[in-house]
Amino acid sequence: MSESVLEMNGVKKRYPGKGSRGEVHALRGVSLSVGKGEFVALHGPSGCGKSTLLLAAGGLLRPDVGTIAINGQDLYSLNNSNRARFRAANLGFVFQQFHLIPYLDVLGNLMVTEVATGQSANAKKRAEAILEQFGMAARAGHHPSELSVGEQQRLALARAVFANASILFADEPTGNLDRDNATIVLDYMKEFAGNGGVVVMVTHDDRALEHASQKVSLVDGRIKE
Ligand code: ADP
């Protein structure tokens, strides 16, 4: 296999019970290794643990047992602020809630890591070129609430490209999109993986599955071989 980017080892996650509902074993020991250039589609029935896996792998939800490393960095050995910094520098997210910042315009959202570190003229030029590449140049001054769902997805992708993210996590990225926009988003993700990145995508969509280079099937908190 090519150089490993994501390494999950024996990951378990339980949620405490509520009311009459007992404890839920969302992940029952997941090990997964994803190499550079892979486009992974994670699928399986509702409730099998897909979102839990994505959140844990994305450094957003600490597992009870097991380790998760990205580019050799054990995510949960970092304290919260260092993990947040690692996420901002290395990870991209295309989630339903997008993680776009409502009070920044499109250019500001794209350059959000740069805004924190002091933006240079070069960075702005690069951001504008990426917006152009994603068909968003005319939207640079708009705010997320003025964008269509497809445009918001594209902006989230563009941000991962701008930040040179090594891995992109996507949760049902084609779920709310029409066929044309779904194709655009899938093509961009494929290109992101093709350029040496990694994509880990949760999806129910057969067309999205076809784009993946590796399909991982999850059943009841375990990977089905
Ligand atoms: P999927 O994404 O495959 O639908 P999830 O990872 O969302 O699966 O959920 C796996 C299991 O964990 C389900 O039984 C779900 O109800 C439960 N679950 C998910 N999140 C929570 C939570 N915050 N609290 C309690 N149970 C949860």
Side-chain angles (χ1 to χ4, degrees):
M1 193 205 283
S2 62
E3 200 179 321
S4 177
V5 175
L6 171 66
E7 284 286 341
M8 300 181 68
N9 260 308
V11 172
K12 296 184 182 176
K13 179 71 191 176
R14 287 178 304 190
Y15 294 107
K18 248 188 223 154
S20 60
R21 202 178 127 150
E23 198 178 56
V24 178
H25 292 254
L27 299 176
R28 295 173 183 269
V30 169
S31 297
L32 180 67
S33 179
V34 184
K36 220 171 177 172
E38 295 275 8
F39 185 170
V40 177
L42 191 61
H43 63 115
S46 176
C48 71
K50 300 181 297 294
S51 307
T52 303
L53 194 160
L54 206 63
L55 291 172
L60 296 162
L61 180 71
R62 179 185 290 278
D64 301 320
V65 178
T67 57
I68 301 171
I70 290 178
N71 294 333
Q73 172 64 59
D74 180 344
L75 292 183
Y76 295 95
S77 69
L78 295 170
N79 66 24
N80 287 348
S81 60
N82 284 338
R83 194 164 58 253
R85 221 165 281 139
F86 184 85
R87 271 200 311 268
N90 299 282
L91 317 183
F93 294 93
V94 181
F95 279 14
Q96 252 126 42
Q97 64 274 33
F98 305 115
H99 297 283
L100 296 176
I101 299 165
Y103 56 83
L104 292 177
D105 64 14
V106 163
L107 196 63
N109 266 282
L110 186 63
M111 299 181 66
V112 71
T113 46
E114 210 70 26
V115 169
T117 54
Q119 52 183 293
S120 66
N122 271 349
K124 185 154 183 271
K125 267 199 196 117
R126 210 179 129 245
E128 282 165 350
I130 290 171
L131 282 186
E132 184 80 47
Q133 180 198 336
F134 279 78
M136 298 278 295
R139 298 299 228 160
H142 292 238
H143 285 77
S145 62
E146 300 169 287
L147 304 177
S148 71
V149 177
E151 286 169 336
Q152 292 185 33
Q153 300 278 50
R154 268 185 279 158
L155 176 56
L157 274 164
R159 190 167 59 181
V161 171
F162 178 79
N164 282 322
S166 48
I167 180 161
L168 183 70
F169 295 98
D171 192 1
E172 295 282 4
T174 58
N176 300 318
L177 301 182
D178 61 37
R179 202 186 171 81
D180 288 349
N181 273 302
T183 305
I184 292 171
V185 164
L186 287 168
D187 284 344
Y188 279 127
M189 292 204 296
K190 219 166 159 174
E191 196 179 316
F192 182 84
N195 288 333
V198 163
V199 177
V200 179
M201 160 182 76
V202 164
T203 189
H204 282 111
D205 179 349
D206 286 342
R207 273 171 314 160
L209 277 175
E210 280 167 25
H211 280 68
S213 63
Q214 189 184 340
K215 297 180 188 72
V216 173
S217 173
L218 205 61
V219 177
D220 196 18
R222 288 193 179 90
I223 290 178
K224 201 166 97 179
E225 297 301 333

